[in-house]
Amino acid sequence: MPMDVSIMPSSLQMKTPAGCTEVQLPAEVRLVPSSCRGLQYVAGDGLHLRLQAQAEFSTKLVSMFNQSLQAQECCTFYCQSCGEVIIRDRKLLRVLPLPSENWGALVGEWCCHPDPFANKPLHPRENDCFIGDSFFLVKLRSDLWQEPKANTKVICKRCKVMLGEIMSSETTKFYMTEIIIQQSERSLPIIPRSQFVQSVIAQCLVELSSARSTFRFTIQGQDGKVYILLWLLNSDSVVIESLSSNHIKKFPLLEDTLKADFSSAKNAVKVLYQPCIRSGDEKHASSWESDISVHSLTLPAATCLELLLILSRSNATLPPSLRQMNSFQVRDIPY
């Protein structure tokens, strides 16, 4: 069927004898029509072309963790899934980043005398919040959780989602994918679950790759099982999702994407990922785990499966020829 393709700075238009289809771009994105290359129709994929695009908004990442947590502020901790208040009106006097997980081993290389930090775990005080790679450490008052026991899961009383773990009688770990921390005078923001999970993961990848020059990650559950291998390719992608994208409606986790705002462009990280949930995947996962250049991110096991479902659903919207690279699948994770 003959087709005429018109490229304008703010839209793409495709005309055939059967009708006309026009794709409007967000206001902050402009195309350079003269840069069009490689225009072709690929059977099973659709129309392929390469264009130079100009984005007017800043792609610089603003950390959601540093932005939402500031010392001297009175904050409330909410369950992200249902909005239940976990910690109410906690004044944070110190908000501090934790050192890397292998800091104890490195101290021995730095010090010419016995390790002064040996057997001294980092416990937050009443008004402290320590920030790890994918978690917060806080101290819960005894009136909130009676008789805390080490290695006990912290479960939301309303929706029964796992929020974190009690590390000791003094320290509780909350996972960033499960908790929203908001200034107490502000109302709780309603963020779709899939959007929130993607944003947290993408920002973790960007910050870790920048701070530690780490580009390969394992996503593992709190049970120690590796669920996903992730390879970060770049962190400066821009994604525009179409309203006509096909969504899997039978999964409640993905239903919120039908209501999302697709009228704007989003910053994104491009990753290669490989699921590790089949019986034959253990060998590949163990080779990554033994590699010192691979960094591990620990999340609740249920969230690992949520993330895998989100990645798989999004990968299925790509043209078949662009979904895979060797044994890995391709995905842009917006944030």
Side-chain angles (χ1 to χ4, degrees):
M1 182 181 295
M3 176 184 293
D4 292 327
V5 179
S6 300
I7 302 173
M8 290 156 281
S10 60
S11 65
L12 287 170
Q13 190 180 79
M14 291 146 284
K15 290 183 180 179
T16 67
C20 176
T21 299
E22 186 172 13
V23 178
Q24 291 287 342
L25 299 177
E28 62 268 30
V29 177
R30 286 292 180 267
L31 300 178
V32 181
S34 61
S35 66
C36 180
R37 299 289 186 274
L39 181 60
Q40 61 176 326
Y41 182 84
V42 179
D45 274 12
L47 192 65
H48 281 231
L49 69 157
R50 299 179 67 88
L51 283 164
Q52 181 182 348
Q54 299 173 339
E56 298 178 358
F57 60 91
S58 171
T59 58
K60 183 179 179 181
L61 175 67
V62 177
S63 171
M64 63 180 296
F65 316 130
N66 296 336
Q67 186 181 39
S68 62
L69 279 179
Q70 297 292 337
Q72 308 299 325
E73 288 184 347
C74 193
C75 297
T76 297
F77 291 56
Y78 299 91
C79 169
Q80 195 279 325
S81 296
C82 70
E84 176 76 1
V85 174
I86 307 302
I87 302 177
R88 187 185 298 276
D89 297 335
R90 173 73 62 89
K91 187 171 184 179
L92 300 176
L93 300 180
R94 296 195 306 170
V95 179
L96 302 173
L98 287 168
S100 64
E101 58 185 10
N102 298 319
W103 71 275
L106 295 175
V107 169
E109 302 295 329
W110 295 337
C111 297
C112 59
H113 49 76
D115 182 2
F117 305 106
N119 302 318
K120 292 182 180 180
L122 298 175
H123 290 307
R125 300 173 184 171
E126 176 77 16
N127 298 105
D128 291 346
C129 181
F130 295 165
I131 303 177
D133 293 339
S134 59
F135 58 87
F136 305 106
L137 291 185
V138 296
K139 181 177 182 179
L140 285 186
R141 287 189 286 265
S142 58
D143 58 337
L144 296 176
W145 304 88
Q146 286 77 26
E147 299 181 6
K149 298 179 181 178
N151 302 317
T152 301
K153 295 179 181 180
V154 178
I155 306 296
C156 176
K157 296 178 180 179
R158 178 187 292 177
C159 66
K160 308 305 180 185
V161 164
M162 178 182 175
L163 304 175
E165 301 173 79
I166 296 176
M167 309 303 294
S168 70
S169 60
E170 302 179 20
T171 305
T172 299
K173 174 196 289 186
F174 287 117
Y175 292 106
M176 290 179 178
T177 52
E178 316 306 318
I179 293 290
I180 289 182
I181 304 177
Q182 188 75 7
Q183 294 178 4
S184 295
E185 66 270 16
R186 296 183 180 180
S187 58
L188 174 66
I190 305 302
I191 305 175
R193 175 65 181 165
S194 60
Q195 178 183 331
F196 183 79
V197 171
Q198 290 183 96
S199 179
V200 170
I201 296 300
Q203 293 194 39
C204 284
L205 298 181
V206 170
E207 293 191 354
L208 288 171
S209 64
S210 175
R212 304 181 187 177
S213 297
T214 298
F215 302 97
R216 290 192 297 162
F217 303 86
T218 59
I219 307 297
Q220 67 177 28
Q222 86 285 349
D223 53 3
K225 174 180 171 55
V226 174
Y227 288 85
I228 309 171
L229 306 180
L230 276 178
W231 198 325
L232 178 64
L233 295 183
N234 65 58
S235 57
D236 58 357
S237 294
V238 177
V239 174
I240 304 170
E241 296 180 282
S242 172
L243 279 170
S244 61
S245 297
N246 295 321
H247 299 281
I248 306 173
K249 297 183 180 180
K250 61 183 178 180
F251 293 107
L253 170 67
L254 304 178
E255 288 180 357
D256 52 46
T257 59
L258 296 174
K259 307 172 186 177
D261 180 13
F262 295 100
S263 62
S264 63
K266 300 176 182 177
N267 295 322
V269 296
K270 184 177 291 292
V271 300
L272 301 179
Y273 74 95
Q274 186 177 89
C276 290
I277 56 176
R278 295 175 299 184
S279 58
D281 296 330
E282 292 87 353
K283 185 177 181 180
H284 198 180
S286 62
S287 67
W288 276 48
E289 288 182 287
S290 60
D291 192 329
I292 60 174
S293 66
V294 177
H295 188 81
S296 177
L297 287 176
T298 301
L299 304 171
T303 302
C304 294
L305 294 174
E306 285 182 351
L307 177 60
L308 183 56
L309 180 59
I310 293 169
L311 294 173
S312 301
R313 185 270 301 178
S314 302
N315 175 263
T317 64
L318 295 174
S321 65
L322 302 179
R323 294 177 187 174
Q324 285 192 308
M325 182 179 293
N326 298 328
S327 61
F328 286 82
Q329 299 179 62
V330 183
R331 167 60 179 150
D332 289 298
I333 307 178
Y335 58 87

